[in-house]
Amino acid sequence: GENVEQHPSTLSVQEGDSAVIKCTYSDSASNYFPWYKQELGKRPQLIIDIRSNVGEKKDQRIAVTLNKTAKHFSLHITETQPEDSAVYFCAASEEDNTNAGKSTFGDGTTLTVKP
Amino acid sequence: DAGVIQSPRHEVTEMGQEVTLRCKPISGHDYLFWYRQTMMRGLELLIYFNNNVPIDDSGMPEDRFSAKMPNASFSTLKIQPSEPRDSAVYFCASSFRGVGNQPQHFGDGTRLSIL
């Protein structure tokens, strides 16, 4: 089955700096990669996703890059703000087999943005 | 749309009691997922359904756990008998299969404490 590894497990940055979270996956058939943000005591919520037919996607201060050859994808947050502090999860899923619809999640990265 | 609705939000019960968690997915979504989240084990997929049929229950910890989806708008996760190690936040999520996989929408979770 799919295995997703996420690094680092904790990340502390100064407000205004950039933050990068990296994930690797094992199954070359995976082709959908969502990122979720979970604030303390809240539910995980999608912040951005990318499909295998593109290498990069941006949404304001957030971007995701995908390298299918190396089987890794990354989340980039620029100009970090204290409200970016949360746990971030990457995930990978396949669309064309019996596990279609199921996502394998990384272990999460706790991001702290210091004012 | 009201989003994924879970009940109860909090449950405190004594060891050995039966616990029933409930979930109403977003209308039109054909996938439903049950997750357990703890500090030690992160976000674990317990079971997921497609069109009300269980597809993968390999994450269910043991026979004390069971899940049903009698129709497209309702699912339950039961623990009988409950044990203190079952204490966790249980999330239900739903998604649909559009043009490829789509992100999962999480409910607010049930915070379960077994004394």
Side-chain angles (χ1 to χ4, degrees):
Chain A
E2 175 66 277
N3 182 50
V4 176
E5 293 191 358
Q6 184 170 347
H7 299 280
S9 56
T10 60
L11 179 60
S12 181
V13 300
Q14 209 64 39
E15 182 177 359
D17 288 349
S18 294
V20 180
I21 302 170
K22 299 181 179 181
C23 289
T24 60
Y25 61 98
S26 60
D27 191 340
S28 56
S30 288
N31 50 15
Y32 176 64
F33 307 92
W35 285 87
Y36 296 85
K37 175 184 180 182
Q38 185 179 24
E39 297 177 357
L40 189 62
K42 301 286 184 65
R43 59 192 166 94
Q45 290 188 274
L46 178 80
I47 54 171
I48 195 166
D49 56 7
I50 191 168
R51 299 185 191 276
S52 60
N53 57 346
V54 298
E56 183 176 0
K57 184 176 178 181
K58 279 187 178 180
D59 183 2
Q60 300 182 349
R61 296 185 298 107
I62 293 172
V64 57
T65 58
L66 171 65
N67 183 327
K68 278 204 63 97
T69 302
K71 289 191 279 189
H72 68 70
F73 55 114
S74 300
L75 178 71
H76 304 253
I77 306 174
T78 58
E79 300 172 24
T80 54
Q81 301 167 3
E83 51 265 39
D84 294 329
S85 296
V87 178
Y88 291 82
F89 293 96
C90 63
S93 67
E94 302 173 47
E95 297 177 329
D96 300 311
N97 70 358
T98 54
N99 283 326
K102 170 186 173 181
S103 283
T104 300
F105 284 79
D107 289 337
T109 295
T110 301
L111 173 64
T112 303
V113 180
K114 298 178 181 177
Chain B
D1 199 320
V4 176
I5 300 172
Q6 290 187 247
S7 64
R9 290 293 311 278
H10 303 273
E11 175 89 10
V12 180
T13 192
E14 291 190 348
M15 175 178 169
Q17 298 296 306
E18 178 179 290
V19 173
T20 300
L21 310 182
R22 298 173 174 79
C23 176
K24 176 180 169 54
I26 293 172
S27 177
H29 282 194
D30 50 1
Y31 286 95
L32 184 138
F33 307 84
W34 282 102
Y35 292 91
R36 177 172 68 177
Q37 187 174 42
T38 61
M39 289 294 291
M40 291 298 294
R41 300 176 69 90
L43 194 62
E44 300 175 89
L45 175 65
L46 301 178
I47 185 171
Y48 81 101
F49 296 82
N50 179 221
N51 292 321
N52 313 338
V53 176
I55 301 301
D56 183 355
D57 66 354
S58 60
M60 296 287 261
E62 47 198 277
D63 292 346
R64 297 185 298 105
F65 285 69
S66 63
K68 293 182 179 179
M69 192 165 186
N71 57 62
S73 58
F74 184 65
S75 177
T76 59
L77 178 68
K78 282 190 178 180
I79 308 173
Q80 168 63 20
S82 58
E83 297 183 4
R85 59 192 168 120
D86 301 331
S87 298
V89 179
Y90 290 80
F91 286 103
C92 175
S94 70
S95 70
F96 73 97
R97 185 80 191 277
V99 180
N101 281 349
Q102 301 298 319
Q104 295 180 20
H105 297 256
F106 286 77
D108 288 330
T110 294
R111 187 171 296 275
L112 177 64
S113 297
I114 309 297
L115 306 177

